[in-house]
């Protein structure tokens, strides 16, 4: 498996808030992938925002799909740039 896509929202329509329990699923899946010794990527689709992307990456996500966060923002180019520049070391516990 090259990529596993986890939904961060209930499938069906855009603009929903991220389901926090998804973070636990990301962590569990990352452990399974590491134990198997594979290069499988974890993709999160739904609920991705500039505010929560670092937390998803810290949990183990490799690929984030941001739809509404980009296309409904006042400045989509800026939002994309912000998402690309997120580092997990900016998270404070």
């Amino acid at each position: 498996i090259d990529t596993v896509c986890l939904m961060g929202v209930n499938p069906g329509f855009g603009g929903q808030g991220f389901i926090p329990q998804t973070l636990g699923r990301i962590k569990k899946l990352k452990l399974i992938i590491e134990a198997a010794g594979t290069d499988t990527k974890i993709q999160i689709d739904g609920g991705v925002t500039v505010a929560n992307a670092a937390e998803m990456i810290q949990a183990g996500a490799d690929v984030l799909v941001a739809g509404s966060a980009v296309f409904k923002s006042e400045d989509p180019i800026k939002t994309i740039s912000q998402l690309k520049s997120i580092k997990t070391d900016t998270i404070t516990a």
Side-chain angles (χ1 to χ4, degrees), residues 50 54 57 78-90:
V50 171
I57 294 167
K78 180 179 177 183
T79 301
I80 291 169
S81 178
Q82 289 173 319
L83 286 165
K84 285 183 165 185
S85 69
I86 290 175
K87 305 288 184 228
T88 57
D89 60 351
T90 62

Side-chain angles (χ1 to χ4, degrees), residues 53-82:
E55 195 172 17
M56 293 178 204
I57 294 167
Q58 185 179 42
D62 302 294
V63 180
L64 305 179
V65 178
S68 295
V70 171
F71 294 109
K72 291 186 177 181
S73 72
E74 290 184 21
D75 187 346
I77 301 296
K78 180 179 177 183
T79 301
I80 291 169
S81 178
Q82 289 173 319

Side-chain angles (χ1 to χ4, degrees), residues 1-28:
I1 297 173
D2 294 319
T3 305
V4 174
C5 180
L6 293 178
M7 294 301 297
V9 297
N10 293 312
F13 59 94
Q16 297 179 62
F18 181 72
I19 299 170
Q21 293 86 346
T22 306
L23 292 173
R25 292 183 184 125
I26 296 168
K27 291 174 184 177
K28 287 179 186 177

